Amino acid sequence: MTWIESMREAIQYMEENLEEDLKVEDVAKHIFLSPFYFQKAFRLLCGFTVVEYIRNRRLTAAGNDLLTTNKKIIDIAMKYGYDSPDSFTKAFTRFHGATPTAVRKGGQTLKAFAPLKLKFSLEGGSIMDYKIVEKEAFQVIGISKRFHADTSLKEIPAFWAEHCQSGNWKYIYGTYGVCMETNETGQEFEYMIADDYDVNKHLPEEFRVFTIPKHTWVVFPCVGPMPKALQDINAKVFSEWLPNCTDYEIAGGYNIEYYADPKKYEKGLQDEKYYSECWFPIKKR
């Protein structure tokens, strides 16, 4: 299944199972993709998370049921995954701007969140440099923290700032930013600020040594100020490179960022020429 076919199949699967106990990992499993990478790709391509999409589609359908059927509000709430009238009312009101009771009485305007339809168009070619690298297992050492997929884009830069302000950069410079899939849901992942592990270098016990397994990696060079330049290259990987790649698919499990020494640049991390890389594990289709 190609990348485009996988995303289309995922959307269709979600639409067909809105009334079921649908989880991110269920959708990812259906298209044989890592939950971590499915979440990442979906958010970058669509601008919202899988959970937000499912919730908004369910609340749209619930509003339609209120207008077109005589079902009890509690039955509609249960149908779309809400276990109490209060939780349903809060979510419904936040989305539609009116309570279910007010909608049932009539005269209220509802919001509609339409199902996604993937359309890929040619808008002028862009060049993406990349290389395929076979890399043996290697060890890194650093400090890590768990992040939620919904908020990681804002919280990870804050984690780096906290790392520098605490003085930990004296021990761990931050050659790598390592994303590690930690559970089957795809909702959370561990992010590690790390350097190559040197057995002869003695560091405080709070720093953790981690082994990254042998992988084939696709490496994308990135030039520009952080974090926007790296976030932009991530978006292009999932919207441009993967949809057109017929030989490889994402293997899952990890995502590595490599950072050059900011001291070598006049404006440091904000320099227009600052160099970094984004690594994705891949496997042959």
Side-chain angles (χ1 to χ4, degrees):
M1 197 183 313
T2 68
W3 182 252
I4 297 173
E5 290 169 342
S6 294
M7 290 297 105
R8 285 183 177 142
E9 180 66 25
I11 292 167
Q12 182 177 343
Y13 182 79
M14 288 187 281
E15 288 298 318
E16 293 173 351
N17 291 277
L18 288 177
E19 298 175 22
E20 305 299 325
D21 183 20
L22 189 61
K23 297 181 175 64
V24 173
E25 58 266 36
D26 298 327
V27 186
K29 183 178 180 180
H30 181 72
I31 59 172
F32 307 102
L33 192 64
S34 150
F36 168 73
Y37 270 107
F38 174 58
Q39 272 275 71
K40 184 181 180 75
F42 193 91
R43 184 187 62 202
L44 287 169
L45 289 172
C46 304
F48 41 80
T49 68
V50 179
V51 172
E52 288 171 334
Y53 178 76
I54 294 172
R55 180 178 64 242
N56 291 343
R57 288 292 299 133
R58 283 173 170 168
L59 290 170
T60 296
N64 186 64
D65 281 3
L66 280 169
L67 290 179
T68 60
T69 74
N70 293 318
K71 293 179 181 177
K72 294 179 180 179
I73 292 176
I74 181 59
D75 292 336
I76 295 175
M78 296 292 288
K79 177 181 178 181
Y80 293 107
Y82 292 89
D83 55 8
S84 74
D86 285 345
S87 62
F88 175 65
T89 297
K90 288 179 182 178
F92 189 93
T93 305
R94 192 181 303 116
F95 181 74
H96 288 287
T99 65
T101 301
V103 170
R104 176 56 60 83
K105 289 179 179 179
Q108 298 294 329
T109 301
L110 293 179
K111 290 183 172 63
F113 188 86
L116 283 171
K117 292 183 179 180
L118 288 186
K119 293 182 179 180
F120 289 87
S121 60
L122 296 175
E123 297 179 348
S126 60
I127 297 173
M128 291 187 70
D129 294 328
Y130 71 94
K131 57 185 177 181
I132 306 295
V133 178
E134 299 281 347
K135 190 171 179 64
E136 295 294 327
F138 65 104
Q139 290 186 308
V140 296
I141 184 168
I143 188 167
S144 64
K145 186 176 180 179
R146 283 178 179 262
F147 291 92
H148 195 279
D150 294 356
T151 55
S152 61
L153 285 179
K154 292 183 178 179
E155 291 181 350
I156 288 177
F159 180 45
W160 276 93
E162 178 187 320
H163 173 73
C164 295
Q165 291 167 7
S166 69
N168 280 337
W169 63 271
K170 297 176 183 177
Y171 306 105
I172 300 298
Y173 190 75
T175 304
Y176 305 107
V178 184
C179 294
M180 296 173 279
E181 192 168 1
T182 55
N183 56 41
E184 295 180 354
T185 69
Q187 292 293 91
E188 290 187 347
F189 63 93
E190 188 171 357
Y191 183 89
M192 188 177 199
I193 298 174
D195 288 337
D196 289 302
Y197 176 58
D198 182 351
V199 69
N200 297 313
K201 186 177 180 180
H202 299 288
L203 298 176
E205 293 183 359
E206 63 188 274
F207 298 111
R208 170 189 173 198
V209 177
F210 186 82
T211 301
I212 298 174
K214 177 182 178 180
H215 266 302
T216 300
W217 302 86
V218 56
V219 178
F220 294 90
C222 178
V223 178
M226 294 289 105
K228 186 178 183 303
L230 206 60
Q231 291 175 351
D232 287 349
I233 202 69
N234 268 274
K236 290 183 72 174
V237 168
F238 287 99
S239 63
E240 296 181 26
W241 190 81
L242 272 173
N244 292 290
C245 181
T246 58
D247 297 323
Y248 294 97
E249 60 184 355
I250 294 291
Y254 302 90
N255 177 196
I256 299 178
E257 303 153 1
Y258 165 80
Y259 297 99
D261 184 351
K263 293 178 182 177
K264 296 180 179 180
Y265 298 85
E266 183 179 350
K267 297 180 181 179
L269 292 172
Q270 296 306 306
D271 198 282
E272 292 296 323
K273 296 181 179 180
Y274 182 75
Y275 181 82
S276 57
E277 293 177 348
C278 201
W279 304 4
F280 296 93
I282 54 174
K283 59 185 178 182
K284 284 281 190 179
R285 288 191 181 277

